[in-house]
Amino acid sequence: MKAIAVIPGKPNSIHLRDVATPALSQVPDGRGVLVKVLRVGVDGTDKEINAAEYGAPPPGDGYLILGHESFGKVEAVGPKVTELRPGDYVVASVRRPGTSLYDRVGLQDMTTDDTYLERGINLLHGFLAEHYVDAADFLVKLPEGLKEVGVLLEPSSVAEKAIGQAYEIQRRLRVWRPQRAAVLGTGTLGLLASLFLRLRGLEVIAMGRTDPPFLNSRLLEEIGVRYLSTKSTSLPQASAEHGPFDLILEGTGFSPLVFEAMEVLAKNGVLAMVSVTGGERKVEIPADRINQGFVLGNKVAFGSVNASREDFQRGVQDLAQAEAQYAGWLAKLLTHPVNGLENYEELLRTLTGGKGTIKVYCVVAEG
Ligand code: BGC
Ligand code: ZN
């Protein structure tokens, strides 16, 4: 079968390659599921892997099949699979268990292992291929009604984890009633996080670098989120005028914003950091002030990566609720379909595209 792969460590090595079609028997205990890939989204992580800044191939293979944002249709199941059957729409989670205690209870997103296994990213092949096989335990079923937007489930799961963890952490307060949230960054993740916070009834301010109006700011308006450009409004200004923010989600990829967010976070507030920043940036920060604000204000900051099965399931529920409450909104995020695995060059080019680009994805097959 055809697959889009890279040679990790070699910049710009994206290519189409012929690989063996996976077999159900590769999964032990009869728990295998063979999935026909329909759509696969790409994001900054794929860009970094192709730039040889991130990612590793499976041991023994000199290449890595890309793609971690999957959507597909079950074609066959092993004898011990009762929860899925041919024809079901599924999305695979990304991380696979390593050895830590967390991995052993199904929370590999919380692993304390030094190396983590992620399909399409680190040490395991991804989904940008005609088929894949995985254990049923790592697949999440979607209702037929979500098939047009199902490719958004993996990025949704990342947003759901961050928000879910924030709420989990805030149980410390017994009576947390968050009113206002700020979402920093308005790419796919920021848009989905804003949506899920709106579904939880919060007032949401989203901030990004681009001057409005543009597609993302208009989409945010449609779900009742106020968009502010950081060019004309600083975070302290936004907080003074529209805050204080009980929850801030930092997802811009610009790490200094984390410390600005710490400064403006409301008393008893929670800051979720979700940007994977590979650089070496250094900044000067008002350490005493931030520390004092955290101490006297009982604030919390935490990091969040990847997602558990529960986060994927919450994602399915929220995507369905979004379709009911804001019909047609999610589909507007799917701005750039690229047809066929053979158009991998266009896929990558579109990913680096400018304004008007939200979700770029490969239409691997119709179905
Ligand atoms: C993926 C996550 C993954 C993270 C770190 C993101 O792009 O969506 O599932 O854990 O990269 O590798
Ligand atoms: Zn990703």
Side-chain angles (χ1 to χ4, degrees):
M1 65 170 185
K2 283 179 297 192
I4 300 179
V6 295
I7 313 286
K10 188 174 162 207
N12 249 312
S13 59
I14 191 162
H15 62 280
L16 191 69
R17 115 185 252 133
D18 211 16
V19 299
T21 303
L24 269 187
S25 56
Q26 281 166 240
V27 176
D29 306 326
R31 294 281 296 152
V33 179
L34 174 68
V35 180
K36 180 183 178 187
V37 178
L38 300 177
R39 295 176 174 191
V40 178
V42 287
D43 70 0
T45 301
D46 301 291
K47 214 190 305 180
E48 279 175 28
I49 296 172
N50 184 50
E53 290 162 7
Y54 195 54
D61 287 355
Y63 66 95
L64 171 75
I65 300 177
L66 269 185
H68 60 277
E69 301 181 3
S70 71
F71 175 70
K73 199 175 192 169
V74 173
E75 264 189 8
V77 300
K80 289 281 161 58
V81 176
T82 51
E83 64 270 55
L84 291 171
R85 51 175 180 214
D88 283 347
Y89 291 103
V90 288
V91 167
S93 64
V94 176
R95 202 175 274 190
R96 295 293 168 269
T99 60
S100 85
L101 175 61
Y102 305 95
D103 301 73
R104 280 184 268 138
V105 297
L107 292 179
Q108 50 271 18
D109 61 306
M110 292 292 196
T111 194
T112 51
D113 291 352
D114 289 330
T115 47
Y116 50 84
L117 307 161
E118 287 183 346
R119 290 201 65 163
I121 301 176
N122 215 32
L123 304 168
L124 298 172
H125 287 308
F127 309 110
L128 270 167
E130 290 172 87
H131 287 88
Y132 72 86
V133 158
D134 216 329
D137 312 68
F138 305 126
L139 300 181
V140 175
K141 185 176 155 175
L142 289 94
E144 168 116 31
L146 285 180
K147 72 174 183 181
E148 282 314 316
V149 297
V151 73
L152 291 171
L153 183 56
E154 195 280 338
S156 294
S157 74
V158 174
E160 292 287 9
K161 175 173 174 182
I163 295 168
Q165 289 285 305
Y167 274 75
E168 192 69 21
I169 289 165
Q170 294 298 73
R171 287 168 57 173
R172 71 193 172 115
L173 294 168
R174 309 294 189 274
V175 289
W176 195 49
R177 300 276 185 277
Q179 289 175 354
R180 277 173 297 268
V183 174
L184 311 182
T186 59
T188 306
L189 185 63
L191 290 168
L192 290 168
S194 298
L195 169 71
F196 300 150
L197 289 165
R198 288 292 296 143
L199 293 180
R200 286 185 188 241
L202 273 79
E203 198 181 296
V204 180
I205 305 284
M207 297 186 77
R209 264 181 313 196
T210 311
D211 279 326
F214 67 117
L215 178 58
N216 307 41
S217 71
R218 281 196 299 268
L219 285 170
L220 287 162
E221 243 167 63
E222 284 179 29
I223 57 170
V225 172
R226 184 193 297 269
Y227 174 81
L228 299 173
S229 156
T230 49
K231 276 192 195 145
S232 41
T233 314
S234 68
L235 189 52
Q237 272 170 337
S239 167
E241 280 164 41
H242 307 287
F245 302 118
D246 305 301
L247 189 162
I248 303 180
L249 190 140
E250 201 299 311
T252 62
F254 182 62
S255 54
L257 269 184
V258 157
F259 303 96
E260 279 193 34
M262 285 179 165
E263 273 199 86
V264 304
L265 188 64
K267 291 199 184 70
N268 288 1
V270 59
L271 165 65
M273 295 176 257
V274 299
S275 295
V276 180
T277 50
E280 290 290 336
R281 195 186 303 276
K282 290 188 177 64
V283 287
E284 210 171 281
I285 55 160
D288 278 346
R289 230 180 31 234
I290 291 175
N291 177 67
Q292 170 133 317
F294 262 67
V295 172
L296 298 182
N298 287 295
K299 306 186 196 182
V300 174
F302 73 98
S304 177
V305 71
N306 199 251
S308 71
R309 186 175 180 86
E310 226 177 283
D311 302 314
F312 275 81
Q313 277 159 346
R314 174 104 196 196
V316 173
Q317 285 172 20
D318 277 354
L319 290 179
Q321 201 190 324
E323 287 288 75
Q325 208 162 318
Y326 305 109
W329 189 85
L330 288 168
K332 294 186 210 164
L333 269 52
L334 299 173
T335 53
H336 288 71
V338 173
N339 276 312
L341 290 166
E342 59 285 358
N343 286 319
Y344 59 90
E345 273 169 333
E346 187 191 337
L347 188 66
L348 209 79
R349 218 180 318 119
T350 318
L351 181 59
T352 43
K355 272 192 194 164
T357 311
I358 300 178
K359 188 79 256 167
V360 181
Y361 60 103
C362 184
V363 180
V364 179
E366 301 290 343

